[in-house]
Amino acid sequence: MSEAVADIGVLGLGTMGGMLALNLAEKGFATALHNRTAEKARRLVADNPALAARLHPSTSLHDFVARLKAPRLVLLMVEAGPPVDEQIAALMPLLSQGDILIDAGNADFNDTVRRSRAIEGTGLRFVGMGVSGGASGARHGPSIMVGGEDDVWRRLQPVLEAIAARYEGEPCVARLGPDGAGHFVKTIHNGIEYADMQMIAEIYGILRDGAQLEPGEMAAVFADWNTRGLSSYLVEITAAVLAERDPDTGRPLVDLIVDEAGQKGTGRWSVIEAQKLGIGATTLEAAVSARGLSSRRAEREAASRVYAGIGAKDPDGAFPVTPAGLRELESALQTAKIIAYAQGYAVMAAASEEFGWALPLRDIARIWRAGCIIRSVFLDDIARAFEAGDGVVNLLQAPSLAARVAEGEGALRRIVSKAALAGLPVPALAAALSYFDDYRRVRGTANLVQGQRDFFGAHTFQRFDRPGRHHHAWAGG
Ligand code: 6PG
């Protein structure tokens, strides 16, 4: 029987699990390791001799649990879905009163709520934890979004604050609410991530097909933008991706990559939940849809032949590569980004009310300032916007951000218009612009929709000039 020496155990040593284990060991925590293929645990230790003293590979699940000091902390980093349930079922008979199970994968928050309720009353505790930052974030400091009971958070807080990213010395980890709250916020993080990445890709499309720039030239543009308001991890890596040359051919690697985007599903979940809450997250939806369309490459090739020549309006001159022209693109992207983040936040605010979570929206911006994939200086602006005006109903009504949108909406409008005329698809940028126009319009067009609904379905409508709901006997109805 192995001796109980480990402060925490990591079960699942894929990229993220392995990196988290190394981060834990580096911060001084004796860490037990378990993986279905035991070799991965041994390999992790062998590849990291400097941390070996605090890494304890196990030979079985029993051995893994035996190595954990009570109350045990077990961090699951396995594929979302049934594998999590399988691991919980296998572990439960081996754990004791007060032990804590932490699901740190990209779980669907509905599953986390279900698992939390199933574990209630068993003596065990359950935490759903969103971890963002990819492999390097897991290794050197992720942003961590915790859902679970407060007393369990207090137990985990020292460990998680030790491994989390820091922004100006502040650990990027927080308890956001009970059970599924952490995974829900991570899901919205990923929806915003999709939107951010899609809007950057749309600007790339304009620079490539509208301004006819080469990848190296575009890299310089994004690198320059990364020194100002758009400074962010995603803009930074965009410049790096565009600058990269294929070692075999010497060609820009981005030109050799097939234009079919993958998606593991978290972005899709964010728009499903937005729709279930009745909150339009149109830029997030456009980004998920764009990924889906990109994956139908053969169909797109056939369609290009069906519509050969249509829409390929010569955009020559529409996107001048001048300081003013590039500034317009920069401002358009920055403005659309504010609108996309406002949508993501509106979904979180609606969920907070729907599920009674009291999500700390300002703190969510604060823990996203470092470590996570959408980390950026802009998140500091969002945190300040919440600090400046409590009860912000929508970030588009936060004075500091409203001023920036008002200043940049012209650039966004011109870029979307010119892209449309040039036949350059900008679904997320266009969604941001139309959302902005719809959101700020007092007299919309839903009155006609109400009339239509009442005409065919007698669904009734309200009137400005009298109380109550009304059905009209439509001529021809
Ligand atoms: C993060 C990332 C990560 C993401 C994967 C796959 O926050 O570290 O969002 O969790 O899920 O990189 O993402 P896709 O959904 O694009 O496959």
Side-chain angles (χ1 to χ4, degrees):
M1 180 75 147
S2 299
E3 188 187 352
V5 295
D7 303 304
I8 187 168
V10 177
L11 194 164
L13 298 174
T15 305
M16 291 294 284
M19 293 298 108
L20 274 180
L22 296 178
N23 188 349
L24 284 160
E26 184 182 71
K27 300 305 188 301
F29 298 101
T31 304
L33 308 173
H34 186 71
N35 196 77
R36 194 171 36 204
T37 48
E39 174 54 23
K40 267 196 177 181
R42 284 192 293 276
R43 174 58 46 217
L44 191 68
V45 180
D47 291 349
N48 297 276
L51 298 171
R54 286 193 288 275
L55 293 170
H56 303 272
S58 63
T59 53
S60 69
L61 199 58
H62 279 79
D63 181 45
F64 170 69
V65 172
R67 291 171 183 269
L68 295 173
K69 291 186 282 190
R72 302 182 185 90
L73 300 185
V74 178
L75 191 149
L76 296 175
M77 190 51 102
V78 297
E79 187 181 350
V84 176
D85 296 303
E86 289 157 17
Q87 292 301 336
I88 292 173
L91 281 163
M92 284 187 75
L94 308 178
L95 298 175
S96 314
Q97 177 91 9
D99 290 352
I100 298 171
L101 270 168
I102 307 158
D103 178 8
N106 269 334
D108 180 329
F109 93 102
N110 296 290
D111 288 340
T112 305
V113 172
R114 167 177 58 81
R115 290 167 183 143
S116 299
R117 291 188 180 143
I119 279 182
E120 269 172 23
T122 65
L124 300 179
R125 313 302 297 274
F126 189 72
V127 168
M129 192 166 90
V131 178
S132 177
S136 66
R139 176 67 185 84
H140 301 295
S143 169
I144 303 174
M145 296 144 261
V146 177
E149 294 313 306
D150 200 52
D151 64 319
V152 179
W153 158 245
R154 296 278 170 239
R155 170 80 178 77
L156 296 176
Q157 189 171 2
V159 179
L160 299 181
E161 288 187 346
I163 64 169
R166 288 178 179 274
Y167 183 87
E168 296 178 352
E170 189 179 319
C172 291
V173 54
R175 175 187 178 265
L176 302 179
D179 51 52
H183 276 140
F184 184 92
V185 171
K186 176 58 167 65
T187 298
I188 302 307
H189 164 279
N190 280 37
I192 293 172
E193 173 189 303
Y194 276 44
D196 219 334
M197 293 167 72
Q198 175 62 27
M199 294 188 294
I200 289 171
E202 291 172 13
I203 295 290
Y204 155 73
I206 289 172
L207 289 169
R208 184 189 68 187
D209 304 332
Q212 316 296 322
L213 290 189
E214 290 300 318
E217 297 171 305
M218 291 186 264
V221 171
F222 281 100
D224 176 47
W225 290 351
N226 195 45
T227 64
R228 292 188 288 278
L230 280 170
S231 175
S232 61
Y233 175 70
L234 284 173
V235 169
E236 176 191 341
I237 68 168
T238 296
V241 168
L242 289 167
E244 191 77 4
R245 285 196 173 274
D246 174 44
D248 299 329
T249 64
R251 292 177 57 191
L253 184 54
V254 69
D255 288 346
L256 300 172
I257 296 173
V258 173
D259 58 321
E260 292 187 40
Q263 51 182 324
K264 288 183 182 164
T266 47
R268 183 183 306 124
W269 294 343
S270 74
V271 298
I272 290 170
E273 296 307 329
Q275 286 298 339
K276 284 160 70 175
L277 290 160
I279 300 291
T282 56
T283 53
L284 283 63
E285 292 159 11
V288 175
S289 299
R291 288 206 185 187
L293 184 54
S294 78
S295 66
R296 308 180 75 83
R297 186 164 218 289
E299 193 175 334
R300 289 190 286 116
E301 279 181 325
S304 71
R305 290 189 289 274
V306 171
Y307 294 99
I310 288 178
K313 302 288 181 289
D314 176 8
D316 190 30
F319 304 99
V321 187
T322 60
L326 292 177
R327 177 77 195 113
E328 187 175 68
L329 282 166
E330 181 184 11
S331 180
L333 180 55
Q334 213 164 333
T335 305
K337 179 171 179 168
I338 296 172
I339 296 166
Y341 279 62
Q343 291 179 359
Y345 261 83
V347 178
M348 289 192 288
S352 186
E353 188 170 335
E354 174 75 14
F355 304 119
W357 284 340
L359 287 177
L361 296 177
R362 184 201 64 171
D363 293 347
I364 290 169
R366 293 170 73 84
I367 67 171
W368 281 354
R369 291 178 297 180
C372 66
I373 299 293
I374 64 171
R375 60 185 182 265
S376 68
V377 295
F378 175 51
L379 282 155
D380 206 30
D381 300 338
I382 292 181
R384 293 176 199 280
F386 280 114
E387 280 154 10
D390 283 340
V392 170
V393 290
N394 183 306
L395 287 173
L396 289 180
Q397 297 202 37
S400 59
L401 297 178
R404 286 166 58 175
V405 172
E407 182 191 356
E409 63 86 25
L412 177 58
R413 197 173 302 281
R414 287 188 298 275
I415 291 300
V416 168
S417 306
K418 290 190 290 186
L421 289 170
L424 300 176
V426 287
L429 294 172
L433 178 63
S434 283
Y435 176 88
F436 170 65
D437 286 339
D438 212 6
Y439 181 72
R440 65 193 178 89
R441 179 159 76 166
V442 176
R443 182 80 168 122
T445 56
N447 51 316
L448 179 62
V449 171
Q450 288 296 80
Q452 293 162 338
R453 292 179 67 243
D454 192 59
F455 187 102
F456 61 66
H459 292 295
T460 73
F461 51 82
Q462 292 172 289
R463 293 177 56 136
F464 285 118
D465 59 351
R466 62 183 76 159
R469 298 197 65 84
H470 306 272
H471 169 59
H472 179 70
W474 299 92

